[in-house]
């Protein structure tokens, strides 16, 4: 594989020129060459931690060997606050916790919803195919648990304000997929053993924003959606992300891609926390997201479905439609209610 240099603190990749056959491309976002060289054009600005008057933000390395790190947002509240473990979107292949759009969205969410947020900078595909991102999610939870049990003075600035009995897994797009699959890993161990393994952490719920799922069979909104200037995901891009992120030899009915596919563990048997799913009306994933919500409900799981009118995929971070700001405030209000009920 061609050399890729990066700053281990923020995992910003600086790709060196490497001629070769291009085998996969999502225009403006990623190019993958036959010799393994990967290029990610800097389409979104990378921003350092900047504290506002109402939110303190810091970058913390969790695993220096894998490059796993998190950006922690702590609002200036006097009461104990819920903890959100948040995973960014980007089809598992692009994106960063240091992207300006995520920094803006999550600092605002922390302040307005009154919660501490860990924005996880997990490993990306195709260099690190799934389940690497899921592994990083579990490792982040175990790291939080370790800091809580040790009473770390170094991390007292967020630990002292954190209600560890009120933890939520959250994310958008591929990040929502990660949040869901981390939740299923925790739930697959069964009730009491899973709870005891996580103490003092208690996972109270999952917040899945436009969750990135797929399948070999197309839904109506995937087949017939007209190109939307206010939606960040197209069907060709979706297919390319799955080719780059799933294990070699897998298709889109792999359970990590399609949780409703035949042969996957029955949803009824999984111990899942209450789940809120945020669906965008103009998203090609709309039908797939709604089908997922219906399946959760049919399996006896507690699920809340929120639909955002007139906006597409990733509207809350890209602000690419006239109504996106209004819908983003609606989403923040829904999240605030969900984590405080």
């Amino acid at each position: 594989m061609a050399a890729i240099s990066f700053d281990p603190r923020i995992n910003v990749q600086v790709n060196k020129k490497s001629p070769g056959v291009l085998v996969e491309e999502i225009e403006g976002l990623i190019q993958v060459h036959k010799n393994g060289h990967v290029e990610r054009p800097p389409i979104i600005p990378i921003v350092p931690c900047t504290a506002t008057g109402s939110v303190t933000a810091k970058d913390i390395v969790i695993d220096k060997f894998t490059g796993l790190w998190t950006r922690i947002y702590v609002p200036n509240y006097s009461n104990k606050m819920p903890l959100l473990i948040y995973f960014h979107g980007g089809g598992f292949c692009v994106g960063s916790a240091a992207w300006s759009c995520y920094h803006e969205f999550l600092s605002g969410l922390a302040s307005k919803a009154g919660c501490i947020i860990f924005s996880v900078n997990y490993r990306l595909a195709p260099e690190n195919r799934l389940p690497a991102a899921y592994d990083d999610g579990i490792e982040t939870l175990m790291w939080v648990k370790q800091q809580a049990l040790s009473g770390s003075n170094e991390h007292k600035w967020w630990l002292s304000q954190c209600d560890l009995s009120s933890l939520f897994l959250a994310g958008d797009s591929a990040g929502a997929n990660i949040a869901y699959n981390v939740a299923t890993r925790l739930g697959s161990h069964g009730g009491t053993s899973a709870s005891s393994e996580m103490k003092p952490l208690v996972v109270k719920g999952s917040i899945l924003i436009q969750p990135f799922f797929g399948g070999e069979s197309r839904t109506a909104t995937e087949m017939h959606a007209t190109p939307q200037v206010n939606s960040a995901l197209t069907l060709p891009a979706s297919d390319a992300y799955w080719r780059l992120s799933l294990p070699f030899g897998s298709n889109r009915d792999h359970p990590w891609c399609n949780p409703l596919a035949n042969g996957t563990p029955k949803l009824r048997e999984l111990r899942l926390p209450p789940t809120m799913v945020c669906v965008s009306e103009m998203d090609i994933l709309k039908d797939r997201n709604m089908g997922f919500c219906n399946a959760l409900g049919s399996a006896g799981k507690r699920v809340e479905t929120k639909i955002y009118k007139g906006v597409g995929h990733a509207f809350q971070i890209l602000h690419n439609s006239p109504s996106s700001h209004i819908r983003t405030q609606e989403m923040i209000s829904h999240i605030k209610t969900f984590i405080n009920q």
Side-chain angles (χ1 to χ4, degrees):
M1 180 177 290
I4 299 177
S5 58
F6 64 95
D7 177 343
R9 188 184 68 85
I10 59 174
N11 201 24
V12 178
Q13 295 188 355
V14 183
N15 298 287
K16 299 174 182 178
K17 290 184 179 179
S18 176
V21 178
L22 195 64
V23 294
E24 205 69 80
E25 179 178 22
I26 301 172
E27 188 174 358
L29 289 169
I30 188 170
Q31 292 182 327
V32 181
H33 297 264
K34 188 176 182 179
N35 65 359
H37 178 72
V38 179
E39 295 182 59
R40 295 180 176 88
I43 191 170
I44 304 289
I46 294 290
V47 296
C49 275
T50 51
T52 66
S54 59
V55 179
T56 298
K58 292 183 181 180
D59 290 346
I60 301 293
V61 174
I62 292 175
D63 188 333
K64 65 181 180 180
F65 297 105
T66 63
L68 174 63
W69 62 273
T70 183
R71 181 163 292 184
I72 305 177
Y73 299 89
V74 180
N76 185 21
Y77 278 54
S78 57
N79 298 329
K80 292 263 188 176
M81 292 170 279
L83 173 61
L84 264 67
I85 306 294
Y86 193 95
F87 304 94
H88 66 77
F92 307 104
C93 298
V94 299
S96 169
W99 269 12
S100 58
C101 54
Y102 280 107
H103 187 76
E104 177 187 350
F105 173 63
L106 293 177
S107 59
L109 176 61
S111 176
K112 293 172 184 175
C115 58
I116 294 172
I117 299 177
F118 275 50
S119 180
V120 182
N121 204 72
Y122 53 88
R123 288 170 291 170
L124 299 177
E127 300 95 328
N128 300 281
R129 288 175 177 263
L130 296 174
Y134 306 152
D135 294 341
D136 288 349
I138 294 293
E139 184 174 359
T140 300
L141 287 174
M142 294 302 103
W143 184 88
V144 172
K145 171 187 169 181
Q146 181 183 6
Q147 306 315 310
L149 291 175
S150 67
S152 169
N153 284 327
E154 179 185 358
H155 298 287
K156 191 174 181 180
W157 63 278
W158 62 268
L159 268 175
S160 63
Q161 295 184 262
C162 190
D163 180 0
L164 296 172
S165 67
S166 187
L167 185 149
F168 294 83
L169 300 168
D172 65 287
S173 193
N177 177 298
I178 297 169
Y180 172 74
N181 277 287
V182 169
T184 62
R185 278 196 185 185
L186 297 176
S188 66
H189 295 298
T192 56
S193 61
S195 299
S196 60
E197 285 177 16
M198 292 299 296
K199 284 182 179 179
L201 310 183
V202 179
V203 178
K204 285 290 188 67
S206 297
I207 300 164
L208 311 182
I209 302 171
Q210 304 132 4
F212 185 44
F213 295 126
E216 287 297 304
S217 297
R218 304 297 194 186
T219 66
T221 51
E222 288 170 345
M223 289 190 296
H224 305 302
T226 54
Q228 299 288 337
V229 295
N230 62 346
S231 193
L233 185 66
T234 65
L235 190 59
S238 173
D239 288 351
Y241 284 135
W242 287 120
R243 287 193 297 271
L244 291 170
S245 60
L246 285 171
F248 288 111
S250 303
N251 66 20
R252 293 190 306 274
D253 279 336
H254 190 289
W256 293 339
C257 175
N258 186 358
L260 308 184
N262 291 332
T264 60
K266 292 181 180 179
L267 287 175
R268 191 174 297 277
E269 297 170 1
L270 290 174
R271 184 177 179 270
L272 295 174
T275 303
M276 183 172 79
V277 183
C278 302
V279 183
S280 294
E281 182 186 33
M282 310 302 290
D283 191 351
I284 65 168
L285 297 178
K286 177 190 172 185
D287 284 357
R288 197 168 291 281
N289 287 174
M290 294 301 295
F292 172 73
C293 293
N294 292 336
L296 284 181
S298 297
K301 309 305 178 186
R302 180 182 160 192
V303 57
E304 296 182 23
T305 306
K306 305 295 184 183
I307 301 175
Y308 300 91
K309 300 287 187 180
V311 287
H313 197 78
F315 74 87
Q316 72 284 351
I317 60 164
L318 298 181
H319 300 300
N320 50 5
S321 71
S323 56
S324 63
H325 286 279
I326 295 172
R327 298 291 176 260
T328 299
Q329 296 313 306
E330 289 177 2
M331 178 183 287
I332 289 174
S333 177
H334 291 151
I335 293 173
K336 180 178 181 179
T337 299
F338 184 75
I339 66 176
N340 286 292
Q341 58 188 343

